[in-house]
């Protein structure tokens, strides 16, 4: 029944996207066969007034009808320009969480239930909501500690949002499984793994204690950084459903007129934003992964303050090295090194030729270097990379999805501040500085120290490893002598699982097909 209900929700979502003209806005002229027929059919069922709207407005209206989880889905699809097209990906990347507010009384009930204290004991004043997003809304409030009054922002979870998200996630997983099973060419995109990444980040985002911890961690790692900070957390007034933090006085980064009126240098802010993001990513391996302009404020002294850290990204040391070398290779036009890094990272299967892949990378990099600064786009680079890597069987890397999404969004914000923004020239000091410090002599010393620690840990585990090796050797000898056998219960369980999976897929497809037929019949 879970699969059937997920199928119904999936059909409803598809119908809303059709009626609001979102499907009609996709690049369908390049399709063929059944997909193109479906695209043409979608155009017939699009509301007439929807055709008059811009594509971004169609998306916004569809998201309002579908609910909060589809905002997150749209932001994730922004990293897949090879699927939705580059123009649609740019619209999705700038999609912001703007939802209707919920009553203050419900927010008060959530705060008191989460913290176990009355509102009057926590806050001297508690105002109406000042902003609302897909998962939570924010209230202005005032606290008094030690006789000192302080203005704070109070973020409160939206009632019922967890149940709604988990229901919609069932639909996403159903769509991903059907896509992997029936669309062979999509398997390299790993739709199920991508959906799992979305599910995990959403679960984390809906526990405001984890957002508070992320704010604390990012605040600690950036306390010496010039021109960037995050608000401090009031831990006494923070729980699973409520987060109290410092109130930020500044101009939102999507208010260009306000920034100019305040006398800010927009080009300097754009450069600071990109360099701060790259510094966090490469140096710390921990970055704000939802840096749309609604989450960024500029204080009077030009400092950027990032709020809403519900989604954070992490990269290991190895992934950071690969990222830095790939970016630096494009900056210095060392395409052979870019290709070698892809192979070293395991991004491209070994059966392909490194020089041939370097040639394909050159076909991407050279045109970008030959263009004016205002046309050199990270989103365009990622689109070209997706096209080339498909030829070389490169699979989607789930650990890089948040990074790709955030790079596109941050560059888009920088370009609204400075239309002639040059991503590569701005990134070069941070990237080259990181490479000099981590891949040069100092980096070798650090790697040697880390290697020594790993070797010491391995020596300490030597007795246990020897015992495991001995047990494994005995098991292999028994398998060689008697063969690998399943007991009857295991074989029966595997058969039932396979039958259930196939049956669920068929039921879901029939539900979707019958629902579409019913909708078409009602309209005709």
């Amino acid at each position: 029944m879970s699969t059937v209900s997920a199928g119904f929700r999936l059909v409803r979502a598809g119908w809303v996207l059709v009626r609001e003209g979102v499907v009609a806005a996709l690049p369908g002229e390049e399709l063929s066969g059944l997909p193109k027929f479906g695209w043409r059919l979608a155009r017939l069922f699009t509301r007439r007034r929807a055709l008059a709207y811009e594509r971004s407005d169609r998306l916004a209206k569809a998201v309002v009808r579908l609910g909060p989880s589809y905002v997150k889905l749209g932001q994730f699809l922004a990293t897949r320009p090879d699927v939705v097209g580059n123009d649609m990906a740019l619209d999705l990347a700038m999609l912001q969480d703007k939802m209707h507010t919920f009553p203050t009384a419900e927010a008060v009930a959530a705060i008191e239930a989460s913290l176990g204290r009355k509102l009057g004991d926590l806050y001297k004043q508690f105002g109406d909501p000042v902003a609302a997003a897909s998962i939570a809304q924010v209230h202005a409030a005032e606290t008094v500690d030690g006789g000192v009054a302080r203005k704070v922002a109070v973020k409160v979870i939206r009632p019922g949002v967890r149940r709604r998200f988990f229901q919609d996630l069932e639909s996403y997983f159903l769509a991903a499984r059907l896509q992997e099973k029936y669309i062979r060419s999509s398997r390299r995109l790993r739709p199920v793994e991508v959906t799992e990444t979305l599910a995990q980040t959403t679960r984390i985002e809906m526990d405001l204690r984890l957002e508070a911890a992320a704010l604390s961690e990012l605040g600690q790692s950036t306390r010496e950084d010039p021109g960037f900070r995050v608000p401090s957390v009031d831990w006494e007034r923070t729980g699973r459903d409520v987060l109290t933090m410092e109130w930020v006085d500044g101009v939102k980064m999507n208010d260009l007129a306000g920034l100019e009126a305040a006398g800010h240098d927009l080009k300097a802010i754009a450069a600071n934003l990109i360099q701060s993001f790259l510094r966090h990513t490469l140096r710390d391996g921990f970055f704000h992964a939802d840096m749309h302009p609604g989450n960024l404020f500029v204080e009077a002294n030009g400092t950027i303050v990032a709020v809403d850290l519900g989604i954070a990204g992490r990269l290991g040391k190895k992934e950071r090295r690969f990222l830095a070398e790939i970016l630096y290779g494009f900056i210095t036009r060392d395409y052979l090194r870019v290709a070698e890094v892809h192979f070293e990272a395991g991004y491209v299967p070994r059966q392909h030729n490194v020089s041939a892949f370097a040639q394909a990378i050159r076909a991407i990099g050279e045109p970008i270097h030959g263009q004016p600064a205002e046309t050199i786009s990270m989103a365009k680079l990622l689109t070209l990379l997706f096209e080339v890597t498909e030829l070389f069987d490169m699979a989607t890397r789930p650990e890089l999805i948040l990074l790709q999404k955030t790079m596109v969004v941050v560059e888009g914000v920088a370009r609204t501040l400075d239309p002639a923004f040059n991503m590569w020239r701005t990134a070069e000091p941070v990237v080259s500085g990181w490479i000099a410090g981590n891949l040069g002599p100092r980096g070798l010393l650090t790697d040697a120290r880390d290697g020594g620690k790993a070797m010491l840990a391995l020596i300490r585990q030597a007795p246990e490893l020897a015992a495991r090796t001995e047990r494994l050797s005995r098991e292999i000898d028994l398998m060689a002598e008697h063969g690998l056998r399943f007991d009857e219960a295991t074989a029966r369980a595997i058969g039932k699982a396979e039958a259930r999976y196939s049956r669920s897929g068929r039921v879901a497809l029939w539900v979707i097909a019958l629902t579409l037929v019913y909708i078409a019949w009602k309209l005709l």
Side-chain angles (χ1 to χ4, degrees):
M1 291 303 296
S2 177
T3 301
V4 172
S5 61
F8 273 114
R9 286 193 294 271
L10 203 58
V11 169
R12 175 187 173 272
W15 179 242
V16 170
L17 293 174
V18 166
R19 292 292 284 165
E20 295 298 338
V22 176
V23 177
L26 294 173
E29 293 294 349
E30 301 174 3
L31 300 175
S32 61
L34 189 60
K36 187 164 188 175
F37 172 76
W39 177 74
R40 287 178 172 172
L41 194 64
R43 289 179 64 87
L44 292 177
F45 289 127
T46 299
R47 298 179 191 272
R48 289 188 177 275
R49 64 174 180 267
L51 294 174
Y53 295 131
E54 295 291 332
R55 184 173 49 241
S56 57
D57 293 330
R58 299 184 196 182
L59 279 170
K61 290 180 181 296
V63 163
V64 169
R65 289 187 60 185
L66 288 172
S69 61
Y70 282 85
V71 174
K72 302 303 177 189
L73 177 63
Q75 291 173 338
F76 260 72
L77 286 177
T79 68
R80 298 264 65 86
D82 54 333
V83 175
V84 298
N86 190 51
D87 293 338
M88 180 68 77
L90 289 174
D91 287 341
L92 289 170
M94 301 307 291
L95 189 63
Q96 298 178 27
D97 293 4
K98 289 187 176 180
M99 307 294 291
H100 299 298
T101 61
F102 55 88
T104 300
E106 294 184 11
V108 171
I111 292 171
E112 293 181 342
S114 182
L115 299 179
R117 297 167 63 183
K118 291 294 184 182
L119 189 76
D121 297 334
L122 295 165
Y123 306 101
K124 181 181 179 181
Q125 293 181 356
F126 189 83
D128 292 329
V130 295
S134 57
I135 288 179
Q137 71 182 23
V138 177
H139 295 254
E142 186 176 307
T143 64
V144 178
D145 292 308
V148 178
R150 189 164 68 102
K151 189 175 183 181
V152 293
V154 184
K155 186 174 182 178
V156 187
I157 282 286
R158 185 176 291 275
V161 71
R162 292 185 180 90
R163 177 180 55 81
R164 177 64 183 273
F165 259 91
F166 292 143
Q167 288 177 345
D168 287 337
L169 281 171
E170 287 182 356
S171 303
Y172 301 162
F173 275 111
L174 174 61
R177 288 194 297 268
L178 292 174
Q179 183 180 356
E180 276 198 0
K181 186 172 183 179
Y182 295 105
I183 306 177
R184 188 178 299 272
S185 61
S186 71
R187 291 176 185 171
R188 81 177 189 92
L189 301 176
R190 298 178 179 174
V192 173
E193 289 189 38
V194 171
T195 308
E196 287 173 351
T197 303
L198 170 62
Q200 177 64 12
T201 57
T202 301
R203 292 189 190 101
I204 292 174
E205 191 174 3
M206 287 189 290
D207 189 334
L208 296 185
R209 294 169 299 188
L210 299 181
E211 179 177 348
L215 282 168
S216 177
E217 182 179 350
L218 189 60
Q220 184 176 356
S221 63
T222 62
R223 62 181 180 273
E224 302 296 334
D225 288 2
F228 183 93
R229 71 180 189 90
V230 293
S232 59
V233 175
D234 183 341
W235 284 100
E236 180 187 352
R237 299 172 177 85
T238 293
R240 189 183 75 146
D241 295 338
V242 55
L243 166 59
T244 303
M245 59 194 140
E246 166 195 0
W247 181 268
V248 176
D249 283 316
V251 183
K252 274 195 175 183
M253 205 169 281
N254 54 8
D255 182 5
L256 298 183
L259 291 173
E260 290 179 342
H264 292 298
D265 184 344
L266 301 191
K267 292 184 178 181
I269 293 173
N272 182 22
L273 178 65
I274 291 292
Q275 291 182 349
S276 295
F277 166 69
L278 289 173
R279 195 178 294 118
H280 306 159
T281 303
L282 295 174
R283 181 192 64 198
D284 309 320
F286 181 65
F287 58 91
H288 192 309
D290 195 17
M291 296 180 75
H292 63 68
N295 284 343
L296 300 169
F297 291 81
V298 181
E299 294 181 309
N301 63 358
T303 297
I304 297 172
V305 184
V307 301
D308 194 5
L309 196 49
I311 303 178
R314 292 187 184 274
L315 288 180
K317 187 174 182 180
K318 183 172 66 174
E319 287 78 21
R320 282 182 270 161
R321 181 175 71 82
F322 294 147
L323 171 65
E325 290 209 66
I326 289 171
L327 288 176
Y328 194 67
F330 273 108
I331 291 170
T332 60
R333 302 166 89 165
D334 187 353
Y335 305 117
L336 180 59
R337 183 56 191 153
V338 173
E340 289 172 347
V341 171
H342 276 79
F343 278 80
E344 290 173 11
Y347 296 162
V348 179
R350 287 287 179 182
Q351 69 264 23
H352 292 288
N353 183 275
V354 176
S355 297
F357 188 65
Q359 179 183 349
I361 294 295
R362 181 180 293 274
I364 297 171
E366 286 301 299
I368 289 176
H369 278 284
Q371 293 179 10
E374 60 269 19
T375 65
I376 303 175
S377 165
M378 178 60 67
K380 182 177 180 180
L381 171 67
L382 288 174
T383 302
L384 295 172
L385 269 176
F386 285 134
E387 292 174 357
V388 167
T389 53
E390 184 176 8
L391 299 175
F392 290 85
D393 304 313
M394 178 175 166
T396 295
R397 306 295 301 189
E399 72 273 16
L400 299 180
I401 289 174
L402 282 177
L403 175 67
Q404 294 167 353
K405 162 189 173 287
T406 311
M407 288 182 77
V408 172
V409 173
V410 171
E411 188 198 28
V413 176
R415 286 185 181 278
T416 61
L417 297 169
D418 178 12
F421 180 76
N422 189 322
M423 174 73 174
W424 307 105
R425 187 178 303 150
T426 307
E428 196 275 336
V430 178
V431 176
S432 61
W434 188 90
I435 287 178
N438 290 270
L439 301 183
R442 191 172 63 189
L444 292 176
L445 290 175
T446 302
D447 290 342
R449 183 191 62 198
D450 293 343
K453 290 180 179 179
M455 182 63 70
L456 182 60
L458 188 62
I459 291 172
R460 288 173 177 170
Q461 298 176 30
E464 183 182 351
L465 291 173
R468 289 182 181 178
T469 303
E470 185 180 355
R471 288 196 300 270
L472 179 60
S473 177
R474 287 199 300 267
E475 293 293 334
I476 292 174
D477 288 341
L478 288 173
M479 288 169 53
E481 182 177 352
H482 301 292
L484 180 63
R485 293 181 294 178
F486 285 123
D487 59 43
E488 184 179 350
T490 302
R492 189 161 51 247
I494 292 174
K496 286 183 178 179
E498 285 295 321
R500 191 185 308 116
Y501 179 78
S502 300
R503 186 163 58 249
S504 299
R506 288 195 297 271
V507 168
L509 287 174
W510 275 109
V511 167
I512 292 171
L514 291 173
T515 306
L516 289 174
V517 170
Y518 172 76
I519 291 172
W521 175 72
K522 291 290 288 183
L523 288 171
L524 296 174

